[in-house]
Amino acid sequence: MNTEISITVKPEEEKNEALIQKIIRREIKIQKGINVSPCDKLLSVFIKKSIDARHGQVKIHLRYKIYINENPEETQGKIPEWKNADGKKSVLIIGSGPAGLFGALTLLEKGIKPVIIERGSDTAQRRKDIALISTKNQVNENSNYCFGEGGAGTFSDGKLYTRSNKRGDIGEVLRIFAHFGADKKILTDAHPHIGTDRLPKVINAMREKIIELGGEIHFDTKMTGFITGDSVSGVAAKTIRGIHTEETASGEKKDFYADAVLLCTGHSASDVYEIVAEAAPDALEAKTFAAGVRVEHPRELIDAIQFHGKKDAGLGAAEYRVTTQVDGRGVYSFCMCPGGFVVPSASGPNEIVVNGMSTASRNSKWSNAAIVVEIRPEDIPEVFVKQAEEKKCPALAGLLFRTFIEKKAKENGDGQAAPSQMIKDFIAGKKSASLIPSSYTPGTVSSDLNTWLPEHISKRLKEGFKNIDKNMHGFISDSAILIAPETRTSTPVRIVRDKESFECTGLKNLYPCGEGSGYSGGIVSSAMDGQNACKKIIRKFFGEV
């Protein structure tokens, strides 16, 4: 027989295997009512670990699958079987982020040819382009932290934690990552994380498999429009037959045709929303998003707060997740990066955007997180609502507002050096006389964020910080710096799709998915969304899943 149990140990007990086995035998009887005699053969397979630092004492929770007098079955499941593409049917995939790559692999389970169109460069060139942001203040609008092979997560952390349990098989996504070279710890960690130093190699291996099986990937190739035709069904919606593209270096134009188009261009491709709005403005709708700042502390300070002063217990850098309400809107942390860095994430030369990342080791001397304010469509200033109406697509108002904030940051920064303020000065409403050192390599510029961040954001941030400090005493500290702005936690726009078919309601044969569609957030949920969308494509065009 087999069963699962969880046990709790102190940090210093975690590596004591004899003690662990003793506790397991005891807990099997307590939790499951099963008596295990000394003659019984017992095998314990580790499943997951989590750290609980609440209530003033650090505890380690360990979960095991227990086999009693039997051989273990396959505990981790299998990866899919991929086939060579026969070329009879093909799907255009716009974007090579997790939704695009996992969508391509899903198509290859049925031997359907994926043709990936990626505006950015491969990871090798992309790494060079990203370096120029910090060293030369040069932002390549097509190859940067947001655009390029692997998507935004490739060079900005590689977190794999998700709460999207009902979206698909999280385990399968993790197994596929592990198959392509990720550390197998992601299969058991409570908050799995590949790390930006390792994820590019994993992405490269996925690309090589897709090409090996007959797929195509066209880097440095930007979609500039849809090729449409009359609807086969006779309804008003246009039918997508293919796309217009342009090579970003040469300007050479080329058209691509396919049986369907998977649109997974990420949360920063503003021009894609313009393309959709031009083709079918009703295919877009406004949605809630968020904007705020990155807050960075010394790692030692966050570790001390979260682990209640306990040092070097083999626990690694401490994480935190905070949420509060201020004047009817959520103020919360996003993409917390323990032992990490703040990085420049602008996708154009006329803006400043910041994000956070950690390497696999999470061993820098800083820890940072986005602290952002919920923004609902009704919170958008009227000027941007009118601008969107002039474009004949009201749903674009939030996108215009986001762009405004990012351009104001540029005006208050210097190149890609970001406007920054000590947290205590921000709350007091005064410009910082000096700034502490930061992990943000383009540099920081002292700026009173209150003077240019929209008031409904800055006021809620101030109260939010005070609320957070009540539970994390020391969060408001002389060692805490704010770096602005954080605006890309999610998109302000959703590309509307049918709940059952995943097909865009205004554009037939178009399947929006991933973060840019407004239906997912993060690497794993986007990967599952790409898988699910491609299963819908297979069902519609090829009659099977």
Side-chain angles (χ1 to χ4, degrees), residues 94 119 147 222-226 263-266 268-279 284 396 399 493 495 507 510 512 516-517:
I94 319 303
R119 72 191 299 165
F147 300 145
K222 182 178 179 181
M223 182 184 76
T224 57
F226 295 123
L263 187 68
C264 39
T265 47
S268 293
S270 301
D271 57 324
V272 171
Y273 299 119
E274 298 276 359
I275 292 171
V276 174
E278 183 178 351
L284 297 177
L396 294 175
L399 191 65
V493 187
I495 305 175
L507 294 165
L510 182 69
S517 69

Side-chain angles (χ1 to χ4, degrees), residues 55-68:
H55 312 303
Q57 184 177 2
V58 179
K59 299 177 181 178
I60 308 292
H61 299 303
L62 305 172
R63 188 161 186 82
Y64 293 86
K65 187 158 190 176
I66 309 300
Y67 297 89
I68 304 172

Side-chain angles (χ1 to χ4, degrees), residues 263-311:
L263 187 68
C264 39
T265 47
H267 56 41
S268 293
S270 301
D271 57 324
V272 171
Y273 299 119
E274 298 276 359
I275 292 171
V276 174
E278 183 178 351
D282 290 341
L284 297 177
E285 66 179 11
K287 63 178 280 292
T288 297
F289 66 110
V293 298
R294 274 273 152 185
V295 56
E296 183 172 71
H297 295 82
R299 173 187 161 183
E300 286 186 353
L301 176 59
I302 296 300
D303 289 355
I305 293 173
Q306 292 300 88
F307 297 147
H308 306 283
K310 196 174 187 68
K311 296 182 179 180

Side-chain angles (χ1 to χ4, degrees), residues 209-372:
K209 174 58 70 173
I210 291 168
I211 294 174
E212 174 193 324
L213 295 173
E216 296 179 12
I217 300 184
H218 299 267
F219 292 114
D220 305 305
T221 303
K222 182 178 179 181
M223 182 184 76
T224 57
F226 295 123
I227 300 171
T228 60
D230 294 333
S231 175
V232 174
S233 62
V235 297
K238 296 179 180 179
T239 300
I240 303 299
R241 306 298 186 191
I243 63 168
H244 302 296
T245 71
E246 181 180 299
E247 290 189 3
T248 57
S250 67
E252 181 181 348
K253 293 177 172 56
K254 184 177 180 180
D255 291 344
F256 289 84
Y257 295 85
D259 296 283
V261 176
L262 185 74
L263 187 68
C264 39
T265 47
H267 56 41
S268 293
S270 301
D271 57 324
V272 171
Y273 299 119
E274 298 276 359
I275 292 171
V276 174
E278 183 178 351
D282 290 341
L284 297 177
E285 66 179 11
K287 63 178 280 292
T288 297
F289 66 110
V293 298
R294 274 273 152 185
V295 56
E296 183 172 71
H297 295 82
R299 173 187 161 183
E300 286 186 353
L301 176 59
I302 296 300
D303 289 355
I305 293 173
Q306 292 300 88
F307 297 147
H308 306 283
K310 196 174 187 68
K311 296 182 179 180
D312 194 23
L315 300 173
E319 300 181 49
Y320 65 81
R321 182 174 179 271
V322 292
T323 182
T324 185
Q325 283 278 319
V326 178
D327 297 333
R329 296 292 182 269
V331 179
Y332 56 92
S333 60
F334 179 85
C335 185
M336 195 271 150
C337 300
F341 305 87
V342 181
V343 296
S345 290
S347 52
N350 299 318
E351 63 196 28
I352 289 178
V353 182
V354 298
N355 195 359
M357 57 144 283
S358 299
T359 61
S361 59
R362 291 182 164 179
N363 63 355
S364 89
K365 60 182 180 181
W366 294 281
S367 289
N368 70 79
I371 303 295
V372 293

